[in-house]
Amino acid sequence: MKFTRFFSSVLALLVLFGTVGCKKESSLKDGTYTGTGAGRNGDITVQITVSGGSVTDAKIVSESETPEIGLPAEAEILAQFTHDGSTKNIDAVTGATLTSDGVLDALDAALDAARGKKQVATVYKDTSCDIVIIGAGGAGLVAATEAASKGAKVIVLEKMGIVGGNTNYSTGGINASYTKEQARLGITDSPDVFYDDTMKGGYFLNDPDLVRTLVDNSADMVEWLQSDLVGADLSDVGIFGGATNKRIHRPQGGGAIGAHLVPLLHKAAVTQGADIRLNNKVIDILSDNGAASGVRVATANGEYTINAQAVIVASGGFGANSSMVTQYNPSLAGFGTTNHKGATGDAFAMVEKFDAALTQMTQIQTHPTVVPGSGVMLTEAVRGNGAILVSRTGKRFVDEMETRDVVSAAILAEPGKTAFLVFDQSVRDSLKAINTYASQGLLTEGATVSELAQKLAIPSDELEETLSRYNNFVSAKKDDDYNRNPASLERQLATAPFYAVECGPAIHHTMGGLKINTKAEVLNSSGDAIPALFAAGEVTGGVHGGNRLGGNAVADICIFGKIAADSALAYIGK
């Protein structure tokens, strides 16, 4: 795969700095033009050159995308663009959708400039609404959809240039118990088992009432997402670490949940009438006699005020704010992060005037399987569908289905503080997400186990023995070494070719945050609800305790996002 990465990089350089002729468009004026679009990690600016009415050159001027993934995607799109001179027939590159969309938007903006179309800057004026929502991630979009569908005038403010927040990068699914999908597949589960798993996974530091609310609303949440209002596909049910039973619901074939849900929720919110404003950063929450009464917003063209009857904080956690992370947990200094750049914890300073209570801020989770240097998280579903973890000795060293903190600690104890996620073609065939990793050039492949070991520079005899022993455990449905959950012992790793990805822990989820009750009302230091102030998602604390189970984040943001909207609607009398 090193050759693939090298080839992609060379192609990128050729496209970024080369000149390729394309079809003539009479409306284009000769000259050099720039355009900007919002990518995964921030703005992407391109420059195109028009000569004789044709685009003769296109290159990236500035961007901050992940090099191994963003650069090849940018190169592929620019190669197509300089050939056609148009973006109309260019599809997003698999595994780099957000980067692709950013480049395409930037190219369209540059083409508009070449056609003489002037970009009219949006200037927002002071206004009012029923409910204002801070953040257009998963929780904010669910809240917006619910509130707008019930007739409320809703404005959603997102400081980044794209919607979705961290939900864009969620690859697992949504945990739910006693669902119609589980019944259809013959899976036995219950809210009580779900509750016990979540409490145990969180070391019983979780707020029991919030967990009870989570599990008891989970089945209804899946149906809400599958309804005509949103139209999600959650028909595939698998198992993740810390779960007794299969309960993580995801698109058929094991596709990434975030890439599936975010566009659907965005469309649903807009269809229901929510006003979603990008590049609008909330800088303050307004107070009227101790009640939240609106927000102050900053844009590139000035500040304005929105007065509202209720405010929902859905601004996400602080996993991308390294100084804040180390402030609360110094042991995590120097760790990378899977979080998007906007996850900086802005809201916590804004709620100080309300004497808002914070809870469990030191509880910060690392995800064990993140590709070093790229921030790409390998979904837990890879392990759930049969993959194993091996060290540089070629041996397993942990129950792969243990909770994320346990697996992270085990990897950090191994040589190099990374490990290899190893699987075969049968596992790859069972999970669409793996094809995305392949398109990103992350997989090392071997026709045999021995060849794979040689490419990984680990002892081939040890790796062969490890896989043979593991396959015997699968046959017996009993892991004598690490007691892996039998429900995840479904596939022997025996179908060539064989694959591996190097991985290690990175900051993933901040489990502490604003203290809320079961109505998603933000509480003050005395335990009383702050009037008109609600919160949902990773900005809140208490649901996950000392460790979050995979699949519980999407459940959390969706369930409490809807509850926050319903509570706000009740508060304002709608």
Side-chain angles (χ1 to χ4, degrees):
M1 300 311 294
K2 290 181 179 178
F3 174 77
T4 301
R5 295 179 187 177
F6 172 76
F7 177 77
S8 297
S9 297
V10 170
L11 174 62
L13 291 174
L14 289 173
V15 175
L16 292 179
F17 301 106
T19 299
V20 184
C22 63
K23 297 177 182 178
K24 183 176 181 178
E25 181 184 328
S26 59
S27 62
L28 298 180
K29 299 178 181 179
D30 289 358
T32 300
Y33 306 92
T34 60
T36 299
R40 183 189 192 277
N41 297 329
D43 286 346
I44 299 173
T45 299
V46 303
Q47 182 183 89
I48 66 171
T49 299
V50 178
S51 180
S54 298
V55 176
T56 58
D57 185 48
K59 61 184 178 182
I60 303 293
V61 176
S62 64
E63 52 88 60
S64 55
E65 304 300 279
T66 306
E68 287 191 339
I69 299 169
L71 188 62
E74 292 164 356
E76 185 173 331
I77 289 174
L78 289 180
Q80 293 181 67
F81 174 74
T82 51
H83 180 269
D84 296 336
S86 170
T87 61
K88 292 180 180 178
N89 298 315
I90 301 178
D91 295 325
V93 177
T94 301
T97 302
L98 298 178
T99 298
S100 302
D101 289 345
V103 175
L104 291 170
D105 287 346
L107 289 170
D108 282 334
L111 285 172
D112 281 346
R115 296 181 183 114
K117 294 182 179 179
K118 294 182 179 180
Q119 298 294 319
V120 179
T122 302
V123 178
Y124 294 99
K125 298 180 179 180
D126 292 351
T127 188
S128 63
C129 65
D130 295 324
I131 300 172
V132 65
I133 300 173
I134 307 172
L141 292 174
V142 167
T145 301
E146 174 70 1
S149 73
K150 300 293 177 62
K153 181 181 179 182
V154 179
I155 298 177
V156 185
L157 302 162
E158 171 56 53
K159 71 176 183 179
M160 305 301 289
I162 57 175
V163 301
N166 274 342
T167 310
N168 281 317
Y169 318 120
S170 178
T171 55
I174 175 172
N175 278 343
S177 62
Y178 209 61
T179 67
K180 292 179 180 178
E181 298 294 353
Q182 287 177 313
R184 178 180 60 82
L185 296 170
I187 299 168
T188 301
D189 196 16
S190 74
D192 288 342
V193 176
F194 185 7
Y195 174 89
D196 291 342
D197 286 345
T198 299
M199 293 298 295
K200 179 182 177 182
Y203 299 105
F204 300 97
L205 298 175
N206 327 54
D207 181 319
D209 291 337
L210 294 181
V211 176
R212 194 77 249 177
T213 300
L214 180 84
V215 303
D216 288 348
N217 286 277
S218 62
D220 287 343
M221 192 70 241
V222 167
E223 292 195 32
W224 186 88
L225 291 169
Q226 290 178 315
S227 71
D228 291 341
L229 184 64
V230 180
D233 169 18
L234 300 173
S235 58
D236 189 314
V237 185
I239 192 165
F240 266 33
T244 299
N245 304 310
K246 291 183 176 181
R247 71 169 64 99
I248 190 162
H249 295 62
R250 57 201 180 193
Q252 189 59 42
I257 187 72
H260 177 65
L261 272 187
V262 169
L264 292 175
L265 288 170
H266 185 198
K267 180 180 179 181
V270 172
T271 299
Q272 295 305 315
D275 179 359
I276 300 177
R277 303 181 178 185
L278 303 179
N279 297 306
N280 276 244
K281 182 178 181 179
V282 175
I283 56 176
D284 195 19
I285 299 174
L286 307 180
S287 173
D288 182 7
N289 293 320
S293 60
V295 294
R296 187 71 181 164
V297 191
T299 73
N301 299 302
E303 298 181 6
Y304 69 102
T305 295
I306 299 176
N307 293 308
Q309 296 182 63
V311 176
I312 297 176
V313 183
S315 53
F318 56 94
N321 187 335
S322 58
S323 61
M324 196 170 179
V325 166
T326 54
Q327 172 191 341
Y328 287 108
N329 194 331
S331 67
L332 296 176
F335 272 60
T337 183
T338 65
N339 285 228
H340 79 114
K341 289 177 66 175
T344 51
D346 303 342
F348 298 113
M350 298 182 210
V351 297
E352 289 179 356
K353 65 166 68 70
F354 299 97
D355 189 30
L358 303 182
T359 182
Q360 300 182 338
M361 296 294 284
T362 61
Q363 302 298 336
I364 300 171
Q365 181 183 66
T366 59
H367 193 288
T369 53
V370 178
V371 180
S374 73
V376 175
M377 182 186 71
L378 306 170
T379 174
E380 205 164 315
V382 183
R383 284 173 281 147
N385 283 28
I388 61 174
L389 285 165
V390 303
S391 71
R392 284 173 169 75
T393 65
K395 298 179 180 179
R396 289 175 71 212
F397 55 90
V398 69
D399 168 12
E400 293 85 359
M401 300 310 297
E402 257 289 5
T403 54
R404 290 173 173 179
D405 58 326
V406 171
V407 178
S408 291
I411 292 175
L412 292 174
E414 291 300 310
K417 298 186 177 182
T418 61
F420 295 103
L421 191 62
V422 176
F423 53 96
D424 71 346
Q425 186 63 40
S426 72
V427 174
R428 179 172 177 176
D429 290 341
S430 75
L431 195 67
K432 290 181 179 179
I434 296 176
N435 291 331
T436 298
Y437 307 142
S439 70
Q440 294 170 335
L442 301 177
L443 305 187
T444 298
E445 179 180 334
T448 64
V449 175
S450 177
E451 181 180 322
L452 180 65
Q454 291 174 14
K455 289 184 177 181
L456 300 177
I458 62 178
S460 59
D461 56 340
E462 290 289 358
L463 185 59
E464 288 174 339
E465 170 60 25
T466 293
L467 264 65
S468 176
R469 185 172 177 81
Y470 176 77
N471 289 340
N472 289 334
F473 296 156
V474 174
S475 296
K477 289 292 182 183
K478 187 176 185 300
D479 179 358
D480 291 334
D481 289 342
Y482 298 103
N483 198 32
R484 177 169 168 152
N485 188 332
S488 72
L489 294 173
E490 291 187 325
R491 294 180 179 85
Q492 291 191 341
L493 303 180
T495 305
F498 299 89
Y499 304 95
V501 186
E502 186 177 1
C503 57
I507 303 298
H508 185 52
H509 194 95
T510 50
M511 294 166 292
L514 298 176
K515 193 168 186 177
I516 60 170
N517 60 20
T518 58
K519 296 180 180 179
E521 296 172 318
V522 179
L523 305 179
N524 61 23
S525 60
S526 299
D528 298 320
I530 299 168
L533 188 62
F534 306 87
E538 197 173 347
V539 73
T540 68
V543 174
H544 307 293
N547 178 69
R548 179 178 66 78
L549 298 186
N552 273 359
V554 180
D556 176 16
I557 63 176
C558 291
I559 291 166
F560 284 98
K562 183 174 181 295
I563 289 173
D566 289 337
S567 295
L569 288 166
Y571 180 84
I572 66 176
K574 281 188 177 286

